[in-house]
Amino acid sequence: MDTLIPDRLSTLGHPQRLAVFRLLMRRYPNRVPATELALALDLKPNTLSGYVSSLLHAGLISQERVGTSLRYAVDMDTTQATIGFLLHDCCRGRPEICLPFANDAAHKFPEMADQKFNVLFICTGNSARSIFAEAILRDLSPDRFNVYSAGTQPNSDLNRFALEVLTQNGHDVSVLRAKTIGEFQTNDALALDFVFTVCDQAANEECPAWRDQTISAHWGLPDPVKVQGTDAEKSLAFRQTYSALRNRMTGFTALPIASLDRISLQKAVDDIGQIKDKG
């Protein structure tokens, strides 16, 4: 047995260290600034420093300095080795008794002629980025996808600059409305094939795991709503966000979903989230 395994498991046995690790897993493969971790988990900087130090010592996360900021990400090699130990040693290599979806590791989405995948885009509010994503993907590939969007916080309204940009690009805004994620978490809610967060705050929040075999990824973009300045400057920020999301939707619609296994498909949608935005 790897002598470091007990140390890693012990490190994750602390509730708040586990919370840091889980948040970084939700944001993988992104690196998250320490300040953002502290804010999302409501931790004092010194307290967070102690937690990340333990995770670093165990090899579960890695650290990178970007300017004056320290950024953290899950060390996936170490994480996989730890989970692999539990599977191969403790479970004696019997995934059918340890992993609920083990038999689906090589599962492919059967893309039939009449099948449409259900896709949900999530942001904190449901006013701009998630609305952009919903409108763009729906119009790019209406025969392949049923597209929805929602916010994690209530009382959101559609942003007027967002509606203007959508109208200018030929989208029908009459079918759009602000709504919350609760509509998609009821017992009788539709099964979702893909769930994407398009803002960091929504990705940082603690959300229930999606049922069934949902593929999820983080496609975070800066919030155009927070841009200060003239109406022209604000409008430019929304147009740039629209363009960035359209690039990602174009990449997503080009994926040969039916020919990819789940692992390959997950990597593909993760890679789309790393597409550099062009101003």
Side-chain angles (χ1 to χ4, degrees):
M1 181 182 73
D2 185 338
T3 57
L4 295 177
I5 292 294
D7 182 44
R8 294 171 192 159
L9 296 177
S10 176
T11 299
L12 292 175
H14 185 283
Q16 289 182 294
R17 288 196 293 260
L18 179 60
V20 174
F21 181 78
R22 292 179 69 220
L23 190 153
L24 290 175
M25 283 295 292
R26 293 197 294 276
R27 291 290 301 277
Y28 180 82
N30 300 72
R31 288 192 173 275
V32 184
T35 52
E36 188 176 330
L37 287 172
L39 180 64
L41 297 173
D42 193 24
L43 295 172
K44 295 179 179 179
N46 288 343
T47 302
L48 174 66
S49 178
Y51 295 152
V52 298
S53 178
S54 296
L55 290 165
L56 284 166
H57 178 75
L60 290 164
I61 66 174
S62 62
Q63 174 184 281
E64 180 181 84
R65 181 175 292 278
V66 180
T68 60
S69 173
L70 289 176
R71 303 192 176 196
Y72 299 93
V74 168
D75 187 311
M76 196 52 67
D77 288 340
T78 298
T79 299
Q80 290 174 339
T82 304
I83 295 172
F85 164 77
L86 294 174
L87 173 61
H88 296 294
D89 188 280
C90 297
C91 295
R92 295 302 185 209
R94 295 186 58 188
E96 77 279 5
I97 64 173
C98 287
L99 299 179
F101 300 120
N103 292 331
D104 299 314
H107 171 76
K108 295 180 180 179
F109 285 79
E111 191 169 7
M112 298 172 287
D114 59 346
Q115 180 189 11
K116 296 176 73 172
F117 298 112
N118 295 323
V119 184
L120 175 64
F121 294 99
I122 301 175
C123 205
T124 307
N126 187 207
S127 67
R129 287 166 290 182
S130 52
I131 287 292
F132 277 166
E134 176 184 351
I136 294 168
L137 182 59
R138 177 181 292 144
D139 287 355
L140 277 179
S141 192
D143 296 330
R144 292 182 69 202
F145 301 103
N146 296 312
V147 193
Y148 310 90
S149 67
T152 58
Q153 301 298 323
N155 304 320
S156 179
D157 294 313
L158 300 182
N159 184 279
R160 70 178 181 89
F161 289 102
L163 293 178
E164 288 174 3
V165 170
L166 288 171
T167 301
Q168 291 166 2
N169 283 276
H171 300 283
D172 179 8
V173 298
S174 67
V175 298
L176 301 173
R177 65 183 178 87
K179 49 204 170 296
T180 65
I181 197 174
E183 293 189 21
F184 301 91
Q185 294 179 318
T186 61
N187 290 333
D188 58 350
L190 77 165
L192 295 167
D193 297 300
F194 298 92
V195 174
F196 302 111
T197 48
V198 291
C199 71
D200 292 344
Q201 188 171 340
N204 290 345
E205 292 177 359
E206 182 69 48
C207 292
W210 297 98
R211 59 190 174 88
D212 302 316
Q213 300 176 40
T214 304
I215 295 283
S216 61
H218 177 56
W219 290 356
L221 289 169
D223 188 358
V225 176
K226 294 182 178 179
V227 171
Q228 301 295 313
T230 65
D231 280 2
E233 291 169 329
K234 293 177 181 178
S235 180
L236 175 60
F238 279 86
R239 293 198 303 272
Q240 290 173 332
T241 301
Y242 174 91
S243 178
L245 281 167
R246 191 174 185 90
N247 287 339
R248 294 182 184 188
M249 298 309 143
T250 300
F252 181 56
T253 58
L255 291 179
I257 295 175
S259 64
L260 297 176
D261 59 49
R262 289 185 60 84
I263 294 174
S264 299
L265 182 56
Q266 181 66 65
K267 184 181 186 306
V269 296
D270 282 341
D271 288 345
I272 289 173
Q274 302 303 304
I275 293 176
K276 297 300 181 182
D277 309 321
K278 299 177 181 179

